[in-house]
Structures are given as C-alpha cells and as structure tokens.
mmCIF file of all heavy atoms in Angstrom:
data_model
loop_
_atom_site.group_PDB
_atom_site.id
_atom_site.type_symbol
_atom_site.label_atom_id
_atom_site.label_comp_id
_atom_site.label_asym_id
_atom_site.label_seq_id
_atom_site.Cartn_x
_atom_site.Cartn_y
_atom_site.Cartn_z
ATOM 1 N N VAL A 330 -2.536 7.044 -3.046
ATOM 2 C CA VAL A 330 -3.158 6.071 -2.147
ATOM 3 C C VAL A 330 -3.597 6.773 -0.865
ATOM 4 O O VAL A 330 -4.707 6.540 -0.357
ATOM 5 C CB VAL A 330 -2.191 4.901 -1.855
ATOM 6 C CG1 VAL A 330 -2.713 4.031 -0.719
ATOM 7 C CG2 VAL A 330 -2.002 4.053 -3.112
ATOM 8 N N ALA A 331 -2.754 7.638 -0.321
ATOM 9 C CA ALA A 331 -3.118 8.368 0.894
ATOM 10 C C ALA A 331 -4.357 9.226 0.677
ATOM 11 O O ALA A 331 -5.262 9.260 1.525
ATOM 12 C CB ALA A 331 -1.941 9.227 1.352
ATOM 13 N N ARG A 332 -4.418 9.904 -0.450
ATOM 14 C CA ARG A 332 -5.605 10.727 -0.750
ATOM 15 C C ARG A 332 -6.848 9.868 -0.867
ATOM 16 O O ARG A 332 -7.928 10.237 -0.396
ATOM 17 C CB ARG A 332 -5.397 11.505 -2.052
ATOM 18 C CG ARG A 332 -4.480 12.708 -1.937
ATOM 19 C CD ARG A 332 -4.811 13.774 -2.981
ATOM 20 N NE ARG A 332 -4.898 13.259 -4.336
ATOM 21 C CZ ARG A 332 -5.835 13.644 -5.217
ATOM 22 N NH1 ARG A 332 -6.762 14.522 -4.861
ATOM 23 N NH2 ARG A 332 -5.834 13.148 -6.445
ATOM 24 N N ALA A 333 -6.709 8.707 -1.513
ATOM 25 C CA ALA A 333 -7.875 7.843 -1.717
ATOM 26 C C ALA A 333 -8.362 7.229 -0.414
ATOM 27 O O ALA A 333 -9.573 7.062 -0.204
ATOM 28 C CB ALA A 333 -7.536 6.759 -2.727
ATOM 29 N N VAL A 334 -7.436 6.866 0.481
ATOM 30 C CA VAL A 334 -7.836 6.343 1.783
ATOM 31 C C VAL A 334 -8.710 7.360 2.514
ATOM 32 O O VAL A 334 -9.768 7.031 3.069
ATOM 33 C CB VAL A 334 -6.599 5.972 2.635
ATOM 34 C CG1 VAL A 334 -6.984 5.738 4.086
ATOM 35 C CG2 VAL A 334 -5.914 4.733 2.067
ATOM 36 N N ALA A 335 -8.290 8.618 2.497
ATOM 37 C CA ALA A 335 -9.058 9.671 3.154
ATOM 38 C C ALA A 335 -10.375 9.939 2.422
ATOM 39 O O ALA A 335 -11.426 10.123 3.052
ATOM 40 C CB ALA A 335 -8.215 10.943 3.230
ATOM 41 N N ARG A 336 -10.315 9.947 1.103
ATOM 42 C CA ARG A 336 -11.500 10.280 0.299
ATOM 43 C C ARG A 336 -12.620 9.269 0.497
ATOM 44 O O ARG A 336 -13.800 9.634 0.540
ATOM 45 C CB ARG A 336 -11.076 10.345 -1.170
ATOM 46 C CG ARG A 336 -12.118 10.863 -2.112
ATOM 47 C CD ARG A 336 -11.489 11.299 -3.439
ATOM 48 N NE ARG A 336 -10.739 10.261 -4.131
ATOM 49 C CZ ARG A 336 -9.431 10.321 -4.345
ATOM 50 N NH1 ARG A 336 -8.714 11.343 -3.898
ATOM 51 N NH2 ARG A 336 -8.820 9.345 -5.005
ATOM 52 N N HIS A 337 -12.256 8.009 0.606
ATOM 53 C CA HIS A 337 -13.263 6.948 0.694
ATOM 54 C C HIS A 337 -13.461 6.424 2.118
ATOM 55 O O HIS A 337 -14.306 5.553 2.321
ATOM 56 C CB HIS A 337 -12.876 5.789 -0.226
ATOM 57 C CG HIS A 337 -12.828 6.167 -1.672
ATOM 58 N ND1 HIS A 337 -13.955 6.401 -2.424
ATOM 59 C CD2 HIS A 337 -11.773 6.383 -2.496
ATOM 60 C CE1 HIS A 337 -13.605 6.737 -3.657
ATOM 61 N NE2 HIS A 337 -12.279 6.733 -3.729
ATOM 62 N N GLY A 338 -12.693 6.931 3.062
ATOM 63 C CA GLY A 338 -12.769 6.388 4.409
ATOM 64 C C GLY A 338 -12.453 4.911 4.436
ATOM 65 O O GLY A 338 -13.098 4.131 5.146
ATOM 66 N N ALA A 339 -11.448 4.501 3.668
ATOM 67 C CA ALA A 339 -11.120 3.083 3.510
ATOM 68 C C ALA A 339 -10.708 2.459 4.838
ATOM 69 O O ALA A 339 -10.046 3.092 5.672
ATOM 70 C CB ALA A 339 -9.997 2.919 2.492
ATOM 71 N N ARG A 340 -11.110 1.214 5.039
ATOM 72 C CA ARG A 340 -10.740 0.498 6.256
ATOM 73 C C ARG A 340 -9.469 -0.334 6.085
ATOM 74 O O ARG A 340 -8.932 -0.864 7.054
ATOM 75 C CB ARG A 340 -11.885 -0.408 6.701
ATOM 76 C CG ARG A 340 -12.141 -1.630 5.837
ATOM 77 C CD ARG A 340 -13.242 -2.502 6.443
ATOM 78 N NE ARG A 340 -13.392 -3.787 5.786
ATOM 79 C CZ ARG A 340 -14.177 -4.011 4.743
ATOM 80 N NH1 ARG A 340 -14.898 -3.007 4.230
ATOM 81 N NH2 ARG A 340 -14.256 -5.225 4.211
ATOM 82 N N GLY A 341 -9.019 -0.462 4.853
ATOM 83 C CA GLY A 341 -7.813 -1.227 4.592
ATOM 84 C C GLY A 341 -7.387 -1.083 3.145
ATOM 85 O O GLY A 341 -8.143 -0.566 2.299
ATOM 86 N N ILE A 342 -6.158 -1.520 2.888
ATOM 87 C CA ILE A 342 -5.598 -1.501 1.532
ATOM 88 C C ILE A 342 -5.184 -2.928 1.189
ATOM 89 O O ILE A 342 -4.528 -3.596 1.992
ATOM 90 C CB ILE A 342 -4.364 -0.572 1.447
ATOM 91 C CG1 ILE A 342 -4.752 0.868 1.761
ATOM 92 C CG2 ILE A 342 -3.704 -0.676 0.062
ATOM 93 C CD1 ILE A 342 -3.543 1.777 1.967
ATOM 94 N N GLN A 343 -5.552 -3.376 0.009
ATOM 95 C CA GLN A 343 -5.133 -4.696 -0.467
ATOM 96 C C GLN A 343 -4.552 -4.534 -1.862
ATOM 97 O O GLN A 343 -5.212 -4.021 -2.761
ATOM 98 C CB GLN A 343 -6.317 -5.662 -0.489
ATOM 99 C CG GLN A 343 -5.951 -7.057 -0.986
ATOM 100 C CD GLN A 343 -6.934 -8.103 -0.537
ATOM 101 O OE1 GLN A 343 -7.062 -8.370 0.657
ATOM 102 N NE2 GLN A 343 -7.655 -8.709 -1.487
ATOM 103 N N ALA A 344 -3.302 -4.946 -2.044
ATOM 104 C CA ALA A 344 -2.607 -4.740 -3.314
ATOM 105 C C ALA A 344 -1.879 -6.009 -3.734
ATOM 106 O O ALA A 344 -1.461 -6.814 -2.895
ATOM 107 C CB ALA A 344 -1.607 -3.590 -3.195
ATOM 108 N N THR A 345 -1.729 -6.172 -5.037
ATOM 109 C CA THR A 345 -0.853 -7.209 -5.577
ATOM 110 C C THR A 345 0.564 -6.653 -5.630
ATOM 111 O O THR A 345 0.771 -5.489 -5.998
ATOM 112 C CB THR A 345 -1.312 -7.620 -6.984
ATOM 113 O OG1 THR A 345 -2.596 -8.248 -6.887
ATOM 114 C CG2 THR A 345 -0.330 -8.570 -7.641
ATOM 115 N N GLU A 346 1.536 -7.466 -5.262
ATOM 116 C CA GLU A 346 2.926 -7.021 -5.256
ATOM 117 C C GLU A 346 3.301 -6.438 -6.614
ATOM 118 O O GLU A 346 2.915 -6.960 -7.666
ATOM 119 C CB GLU A 346 3.860 -8.183 -4.916
ATOM 120 C CG GLU A 346 3.825 -9.313 -5.927
ATOM 121 C CD GLU A 346 4.687 -10.498 -5.526
ATOM 122 O OE1 GLU A 346 5.437 -10.375 -4.536
ATOM 123 O OE2 GLU A 346 4.623 -11.537 -6.204
ATOM 124 N N PRO A 347 4.048 -5.334 -6.634
ATOM 125 C CA PRO A 347 4.474 -4.736 -7.904
ATOM 126 C C PRO A 347 5.608 -5.529 -8.530
ATOM 127 O O PRO A 347 6.247 -6.361 -7.876
ATOM 128 C CB PRO A 347 4.930 -3.338 -7.502
ATOM 129 C CG PRO A 347 5.385 -3.493 -6.093
ATOM 130 C CD PRO A 347 4.506 -4.562 -5.478
ATOM 131 N N GLY A 348 5.874 -5.249 -9.799
ATOM 132 C CA GLY A 348 6.900 -5.991 -10.523
ATOM 133 C C GLY A 348 8.293 -5.420 -10.391
ATOM 134 O O GLY A 348 9.258 -6.059 -10.804
ATOM 135 N N GLU A 349 8.427 -4.206 -9.810
ATOM 136 C CA GLU A 349 9.724 -3.556 -9.760
ATOM 137 C C GLU A 349 10.150 -3.288 -8.318
ATOM 138 O O GLU A 349 9.324 -2.973 -7.449
ATOM 139 C CB GLU A 349 9.689 -2.243 -10.556
ATOM 140 C CG GLU A 349 9.344 -2.470 -12.028
ATOM 141 C CD GLU A 349 9.612 -1.250 -12.886
ATOM 142 O OE1 GLU A 349 9.849 -0.155 -12.325
ATOM 143 O OE2 GLU A 349 9.588 -1.390 -14.119
ATOM 144 N N TRP A 350 11.433 -3.406 -8.095
ATOM 145 C CA TRP A 350 12.013 -3.274 -6.770
ATOM 146 C C TRP A 350 11.683 -1.928 -6.141
ATOM 147 O O TRP A 350 11.251 -1.859 -4.980
ATOM 148 C CB TRP A 350 13.537 -3.440 -6.864
ATOM 149 C CG TRP A 350 14.249 -3.284 -5.565
ATOM 150 C CD1 TRP A 350 14.722 -2.123 -5.009
ATOM 151 C CD2 TRP A 350 14.558 -4.316 -4.623
ATOM 152 N NE1 TRP A 350 15.323 -2.368 -3.801
ATOM 153 C CE2 TRP A 350 15.224 -3.711 -3.532
ATOM 154 C CE3 TRP A 350 14.346 -5.697 -4.589
ATOM 155 C CZ2 TRP A 350 15.692 -4.431 -2.441
ATOM 156 C CZ3 TRP A 350 14.804 -6.420 -3.501
ATOM 157 C CH2 TRP A 350 15.466 -5.793 -2.437
ATOM 158 N N ARG A 351 11.854 -0.832 -6.885
ATOM 159 C CA ARG A 351 11.659 0.498 -6.304
ATOM 160 C C ARG A 351 10.205 0.694 -5.890
ATOM 161 O O ARG A 351 9.922 1.336 -4.865
ATOM 162 C CB ARG A 351 12.095 1.595 -7.284
ATOM 163 C CG ARG A 351 11.305 1.607 -8.547
ATOM 164 C CD ARG A 351 11.706 2.630 -9.594
ATOM 165 N NE ARG A 351 10.803 2.468 -10.713
ATOM 166 C CZ ARG A 351 9.584 2.967 -10.743
ATOM 167 N NH1 ARG A 351 9.146 3.709 -9.755
ATOM 168 N NH2 ARG A 351 8.801 2.746 -11.773
ATOM 169 N N VAL A 352 9.250 0.135 -6.656
ATOM 170 C CA VAL A 352 7.840 0.279 -6.302
ATOM 171 C C VAL A 352 7.518 -0.596 -5.098
ATOM 172 O O VAL A 352 6.735 -0.216 -4.223
ATOM 173 C CB VAL A 352 6.937 -0.058 -7.503
ATOM 174 C CG1 VAL A 352 5.467 0.164 -7.152
ATOM 175 C CG2 VAL A 352 7.304 0.799 -8.716
ATOM 176 N N ARG A 353 8.119 -1.781 -5.030
ATOM 177 C CA ARG A 353 7.915 -2.645 -3.867
ATOM 178 C C ARG A 353 8.422 -1.959 -2.599
ATOM 179 O O ARG A 353 7.782 -2.017 -1.544
ATOM 180 C CB ARG A 353 8.615 -3.992 -4.071
ATOM 181 C CG ARG A 353 8.478 -4.965 -2.899
ATOM 182 C CD ARG A 353 7.052 -5.452 -2.736
ATOM 183 N NE ARG A 353 6.817 -6.116 -1.470
ATOM 184 C CZ ARG A 353 6.340 -7.365 -1.347
ATOM 185 N NH1 ARG A 353 6.091 -8.075 -2.429
ATOM 186 N NH2 ARG A 353 6.120 -7.884 -0.168
ATOM 187 N N GLU A 354 9.573 -1.299 -2.686
ATOM 188 C CA GLU A 354 10.094 -0.586 -1.535
ATOM 189 C C GLU A 354 9.130 0.504 -1.075
ATOM 190 O O GLU A 354 8.893 0.682 0.126
ATOM 191 C CB GLU A 354 11.452 0.036 -1.886
ATOM 192 C CG GLU A 354 12.559 -0.973 -2.084
ATOM 193 C CD GLU A 354 13.055 -1.544 -0.767
ATOM 194 O OE1 GLU A 354 13.812 -0.857 -0.057
ATOM 195 O OE2 GLU A 354 12.664 -2.688 -0.446
ATOM 196 N N ALA A 355 8.555 1.225 -2.033
ATOM 197 C CA ALA A 355 7.585 2.269 -1.694
ATOM 198 C C ALA A 355 6.327 1.661 -1.088
ATOM 199 O O ALA A 355 5.780 2.175 -0.101
ATOM 200 C CB ALA A 355 7.241 3.083 -2.932
ATOM 201 N N MET A 356 5.859 0.555 -1.666
ATOM 202 C CA MET A 356 4.636 -0.078 -1.180
ATOM 203 C C MET A 356 4.822 -0.616 0.236
ATOM 204 O O MET A 356 3.896 -0.545 1.066
ATOM 205 C CB MET A 356 4.212 -1.191 -2.141
ATOM 206 C CG MET A 356 2.831 -1.744 -1.879
ATOM 207 S SD MET A 356 2.303 -2.987 -3.101
ATOM 208 C CE MET A 356 1.902 -1.949 -4.512
ATOM 209 N N GLU A 357 5.994 -1.154 0.545
ATOM 210 C CA GLU A 357 6.251 -1.641 1.890
ATOM 211 C C GLU A 357 6.149 -0.510 2.913
ATOM 212 O O GLU A 357 5.761 -0.731 4.074
ATOM 213 C CB GLU A 357 7.629 -2.307 1.970
ATOM 214 C CG GLU A 357 7.723 -3.639 1.248
ATOM 215 C CD GLU A 357 6.932 -4.749 1.937
ATOM 216 O OE1 GLU A 357 6.512 -4.562 3.101
ATOM 217 O OE2 GLU A 357 6.738 -5.807 1.305
ATOM 218 N N GLN A 358 6.500 0.711 2.497
ATOM 219 C CA GLN A 358 6.411 1.856 3.405
ATOM 220 C C GLN A 358 4.973 2.202 3.758
ATOM 221 O O GLN A 358 4.721 2.850 4.779
ATOM 222 C CB GLN A 358 7.117 3.064 2.789
ATOM 223 C CG GLN A 358 8.619 2.920 2.629
ATOM 224 C CD GLN A 358 9.326 2.677 3.949
ATOM 225 O OE1 GLN A 358 9.089 3.375 4.929
ATOM 226 N NE2 GLN A 358 10.189 1.660 3.983
ATOM 227 N N TRP A 359 4.033 1.772 2.911
ATOM 228 C CA TRP A 359 2.633 2.055 3.222
ATOM 229 C C TRP A 359 2.227 1.442 4.555
ATOM 230 O O TRP A 359 1.325 1.937 5.235
ATOM 231 C CB TRP A 359 1.717 1.504 2.120
ATOM 232 C CG TRP A 359 1.893 2.122 0.774
ATOM 233 C CD1 TRP A 359 2.704 3.160 0.440
ATOM 234 C CD2 TRP A 359 1.251 1.708 -0.427
ATOM 235 N NE1 TRP A 359 2.618 3.430 -0.908
ATOM 236 C CE2 TRP A 359 1.726 2.549 -1.456
ATOM 237 C CE3 TRP A 359 0.329 0.704 -0.746
ATOM 238 C CZ2 TRP A 359 1.301 2.427 -2.781
ATOM 239 C CZ3 TRP A 359 -0.102 0.570 -2.050
ATOM 240 C CH2 TRP A 359 0.374 1.424 -3.066
ATOM 241 N N ARG A 360 2.871 0.356 4.947
ATOM 242 C CA ARG A 360 2.491 -0.321 6.193
ATOM 243 C C ARG A 360 2.644 0.608 7.403
ATOM 244 O O ARG A 360 1.912 0.482 8.392
ATOM 245 C CB ARG A 360 3.342 -1.574 6.392
ATOM 246 C CG ARG A 360 3.200 -2.631 5.296
ATOM 247 C CD ARG A 360 3.996 -3.874 5.666
ATOM 248 N NE ARG A 360 4.117 -4.830 4.577
ATOM 249 C CZ ARG A 360 3.197 -5.749 4.265
ATOM 250 N NH1 ARG A 360 2.072 -5.805 4.959
ATOM 251 N NH2 ARG A 360 3.389 -6.600 3.271
ATOM 252 N N THR A 361 3.618 1.516 7.325
ATOM 253 C CA THR A 361 3.821 2.453 8.431
ATOM 254 C C THR A 361 3.274 3.842 8.131
ATOM 255 O O THR A 361 2.945 4.584 9.058
ATOM 256 C CB THR A 361 5.325 2.567 8.755
ATOM 257 O OG1 THR A 361 6.055 2.941 7.580
ATOM 258 C CG2 THR A 361 5.855 1.238 9.276
ATOM 259 N N GLU A 362 3.154 4.187 6.838
ATOM 260 C CA GLU A 362 2.729 5.533 6.480
ATOM 261 C C GLU A 362 1.213 5.691 6.393
ATOM 262 O O GLU A 362 0.699 6.798 6.541
ATOM 263 C CB GLU A 362 3.358 5.932 5.138
ATOM 264 C CG GLU A 362 4.871 6.068 5.194
ATOM 265 C CD GLU A 362 5.466 6.399 3.837
ATOM 266 O OE1 GLU A 362 4.702 6.498 2.854
ATOM 267 O OE2 GLU A 362 6.703 6.549 3.756
ATOM 268 N N MET A 363 0.502 4.591 6.135
ATOM 269 C CA MET A 363 -0.945 4.673 5.974
ATOM 270 C C MET A 363 -1.649 4.395 7.312
ATOM 271 O O MET A 363 -1.168 3.585 8.110
ATOM 272 C CB MET A 363 -1.423 3.687 4.905
ATOM 273 C CG MET A 363 -0.838 3.926 3.521
ATOM 274 S SD MET A 363 -1.313 5.531 2.856
ATOM 275 C CE MET A 363 -0.101 5.684 1.516
ATOM 276 N N PRO A 364 -2.782 5.022 7.528
ATOM 277 C CA PRO A 364 -3.490 4.856 8.816
ATOM 278 C C PRO A 364 -4.342 3.593 8.889
ATOM 279 O O PRO A 364 -5.101 3.429 9.846
ATOM 280 C CB PRO A 364 -4.374 6.108 8.873
ATOM 281 C CG PRO A 364 -4.676 6.409 7.442
ATOM 282 C CD PRO A 364 -3.426 6.050 6.678
ATOM 283 N N VAL A 365 -4.231 2.714 7.873
ATOM 284 C CA VAL A 365 -5.034 1.496 7.834
ATOM 285 C C VAL A 365 -4.135 0.300 7.542
ATOM 286 O O VAL A 365 -2.980 0.443 7.131
ATOM 287 C CB VAL A 365 -6.147 1.586 6.754
ATOM 288 C CG1 VAL A 365 -7.134 2.702 7.086
ATOM 289 C CG2 VAL A 365 -5.536 1.804 5.364
ATOM 290 N N ARG A 366 -4.692 -0.887 7.741
ATOM 291 C CA ARG A 366 -3.932 -2.127 7.498
ATOM 292 C C ARG A 366 -3.645 -2.272 6.005
ATOM 293 O O ARG A 366 -4.505 -2.008 5.162
ATOM 294 C CB ARG A 366 -4.746 -3.321 7.994
ATOM 295 C CG ARG A 366 -4.093 -4.672 7.770
ATOM 296 C CD ARG A 366 -4.924 -5.771 8.420
ATOM 297 N NE ARG A 366 -4.363 -7.090 8.199
ATOM 298 C CZ ARG A 366 -4.726 -7.893 7.207
ATOM 299 N NH1 ARG A 366 -5.665 -7.515 6.358
ATOM 300 N NH2 ARG A 366 -4.178 -9.090 7.072
ATOM 301 N N VAL A 367 -2.435 -2.717 5.696
ATOM 302 C CA VAL A 367 -2.016 -2.922 4.301
ATOM 303 C C VAL A 367 -1.696 -4.397 4.098
ATOM 304 O O VAL A 367 -0.899 -4.984 4.843
ATOM 305 C CB VAL A 367 -0.786 -2.056 3.949
ATOM 306 C CG1 VAL A 367 -0.303 -2.365 2.536
ATOM 307 C CG2 VAL A 367 -1.109 -0.577 4.101
ATOM 308 N N ARG A 368 -2.299 -4.982 3.092
ATOM 309 C CA ARG A 368 -2.065 -6.386 2.754
ATOM 310 C C ARG A 368 -1.499 -6.441 1.336
ATOM 311 O O ARG A 368 -2.107 -5.922 0.393
ATOM 312 C CB ARG A 368 -3.370 -7.166 2.841
ATOM 313 C CG ARG A 368 -3.235 -8.667 2.642
ATOM 314 C CD ARG A 368 -4.608 -9.322 2.658
ATOM 315 N NE ARG A 368 -4.524 -10.777 2.569
ATOM 316 C CZ ARG A 368 -5.507 -11.540 2.117
ATOM 317 N NH1 ARG A 368 -6.660 -10.991 1.717
ATOM 318 N NH2 ARG A 368 -5.357 -12.852 2.060
ATOM 319 N N ILE A 369 -0.318 -7.062 1.167
ATOM 320 C CA ILE A 369 0.327 -7.178 -0.136
ATOM 321 C C ILE A 369 0.363 -8.652 -0.515
ATOM 322 O O ILE A 369 0.920 -9.477 0.221
ATOM 323 C CB ILE A 369 1.750 -6.581 -0.117
ATOM 324 C CG1 ILE A 369 1.704 -5.107 0.304
ATOM 325 C CG2 ILE A 369 2.404 -6.723 -1.484
ATOM 326 C CD1 ILE A 369 3.080 -4.483 0.526
ATOM 327 N N LEU A 370 -0.214 -8.982 -1.645
ATOM 328 C CA LEU A 370 -0.377 -10.365 -2.080
ATOM 329 C C LEU A 370 0.575 -10.719 -3.211
ATOM 330 O O LEU A 370 0.962 -9.851 -4.006
ATOM 331 C CB LEU A 370 -1.820 -10.594 -2.534
ATOM 332 C CG LEU A 370 -2.903 -10.329 -1.486
ATOM 333 C CD1 LEU A 370 -4.283 -10.399 -2.120
ATOM 334 C CD2 LEU A 370 -2.779 -11.314 -0.345
#
C-alpha cells in the first residue's frame, strides 16, 4: 500500500474492513503510517 500511494500519488486510501483480526490491526496502523487519509468501511 505504501509503495502504491507513492507510485500513483494517491490522495487517500479507501478500504473495506478485513475479515481477520491481525489484518484489521495492520490496517488500523495505516492511519498513522500512511501520508494520506485512510477510510475503512
């Protein structure tokens, strides 16, 4: 995801919540680790 944000100059990330706890924990970290707004639906 970090590579793709840089590659495309993305202005934001929008994702559907994952089905597994460990992936959800990782996805929540994107809010602080990514340089753009993250929306989880």
Side-chain angles (χ1 to χ4, degrees):
V330 169
R332 284 207 309 139
V334 167
R336 188 162 57 245
H337 297 287
R340 71 176 189 271
I342 298 168
Q343 180 159 295
T345 294
E346 63 184 352
E349 300 193 348
W350 178 272
R351 62 182 181 80
V352 183
R353 179 68 194 236
E354 291 285 283
M356 191 176 284
E357 289 290 347
Q358 294 301 312
W359 296 356
R360 299 185 191 276
T361 56
E362 294 177 359
M363 299 297 164
V365 297
R366 178 174 178 266
V367 176
R368 186 184 184 204
I369 302 172
L370 301 172

